[in-house]
Amino acid sequence: MSGSGESERLLVVEDETHLAAGLKLNLEMEGFLVDVAETARGAAQFLARPYAYAAIVLDVMLPDLDGFDLCKKLRVAGNYTPVIMLTARSAPDDRVRGLEAGADDYLVKPFELRELLARIRSLLRRRRWEDVEAQGIGTSATLRFGATLVDFDSQKVTVGGKALRLTRLELELLRYFAEHPDRVLDRDELLENVWHLRNYPNTRTVDNFVLRLRKYFEPDPSRPVHFLAVRGSGYRFCPVPAQPSDS
Ligand code: CA
């Protein structure tokens, strides 16, 4: 679907009619096909059609369901279309909420159209790049630990032969751990390198994601042997099972 020459289809989910119309017009001028939904329900109807959307531009404040919940629902349903969230609120908390909901990027209203275009292009580029890697042209990167096998190129993850689907951020966190085995990584380092959040204070984001990785990969998530907490610092990834930690 990312072939050259063929227009890529975007879904804009935005209930402010003027803004939605302006986005549609401008994105169409850039060569995209654009559908607009004004509610989460409308978005679900578009997403049920047999198109592949290249990306979804998703407003946080919708009349029926908030954008975070819609994004979460998509991910739970196995839809991994790249999502850019739009919000009027500039609280860094919202950025984290969006990313935790499985969004790929985040833009604060009011924003410049060219900024949105740049973000969309970057998402599409990244996806194409991942496609190229998935075809085996890129370097191979495989991680094995316990019963887990991860192929970062094709994003295939299996535990004991059973396939799992991870979100992009879950995979990126796992990749960062895999690149730094047996080393204590503090939360700031993880936030900066995986979430690209610098000097972000006091967050449970990292802990929440580590809990998810434990749930996927630890034989007993309550007694982790691979993703160990290091008191007062952060986490240590041990490909070879370590002594269970206390949290
Ligand atoms: Ca809105």
Side-chain angles (χ1 to χ4, degrees):
M1 291 312 284
S2 57
S4 53
E6 202 176 312
S7 289
E8 300 202 80
R9 191 178 284 270
L10 304 177
L11 179 60
V12 172
V13 188
E14 168 60 84
D15 60 319
E16 288 162 59
T17 310
H18 281 89
L19 179 55
L23 286 177
K24 180 175 165 71
L25 183 71
N26 282 286
L27 292 170
E28 283 174 348
M29 282 182 352
E30 296 295 321
F32 294 104
L33 296 168
V34 181
D35 291 322
V36 172
E38 298 197 349
T39 58
R41 243 182 104 177
Q45 284 165 1
F46 276 114
L47 290 165
R49 295 184 184 183
Y51 315 136
Y53 285 98
I56 302 170
V57 178
L58 176 58
D59 189 33
V60 167
M61 306 288 279
L62 295 170
D64 48 350
L65 188 70
D66 85 31
F68 300 122
D69 290 336
L70 177 58
C71 186
K72 233 180 270 174
K73 273 182 125 175
L74 288 178
R75 298 310 190 227
V76 167
N79 184 325
Y80 292 90
T81 308
V83 168
I84 300 179
M85 308 263 323
L86 304 180
T87 173
R89 292 169 292 181
S90 58
D93 231 33
D94 267 13
R95 176 169 178 186
V96 172
R97 260 189 90 190
L99 296 175
E100 282 179 344
D104 298 86
D105 205 348
Y106 171 91
L107 207 52
V108 177
K109 284 177 173 179
F111 53 85
E112 304 241 0
L113 185 76
R114 57 164 191 225
E115 177 66 18
L116 175 63
L117 279 170
R119 302 287 185 94
I120 291 174
R121 294 238 161 78
S122 138
L123 275 184
L124 300 187
R125 247 196 327 271
R126 191 156 70 206
R127 199 201 52 200
R128 279 194 279 271
W129 191 67
E130 282 166 0
D131 287 348
V132 168
E133 285 200 326
Q135 289 156 18
I137 299 163
T139 53
S140 128
T142 308
L143 167 69
R144 272 172 206 277
F145 65 96
T148 302
L149 178 59
V150 181
D151 181 335
F152 286 105
D153 296 343
S154 62
Q155 307 189 358
K156 284 205 180 100
V157 181
T158 58
V159 177
K162 212 177 132 225
L164 273 185
R165 185 82 205 229
L166 267 61
T167 67
R168 189 178 65 80
L169 274 165
E170 289 165 352
L171 264 176
E172 282 187 14
L173 177 59
L174 184 58
R175 188 201 288 262
Y176 196 81
F177 275 130
E179 286 168 353
H180 305 88
D182 302 310
R183 228 190 77 191
V184 177
L185 303 171
D186 68 30
R187 288 175 183 78
D188 288 344
E189 177 178 352
L190 292 168
L191 281 171
E192 183 162 345
N193 289 288
V194 178
W195 282 264
H196 309 294
L197 291 170
R198 204 158 295 173
N199 301 323
Y200 190 80
N202 189 24
T203 176
R204 293 279 306 161
T205 299
V206 171
D207 309 281
N208 292 336
F209 270 76
V210 170
L211 286 179
R212 292 201 219 168
L213 295 185
R214 284 176 176 165
K215 240 189 262 168
Y216 294 140
F217 303 119
E218 293 283 0
D220 176 358
S222 64
R223 289 171 59 81
V225 294
H226 295 296
F227 300 91
L228 303 193
V230 179
R231 195 176 291 279
S233 310
Y235 293 96
R236 185 155 55 95
F237 170 60
C238 305
V240 176
Q243 289 296 319
S245 77
D246 52 8
S247 62

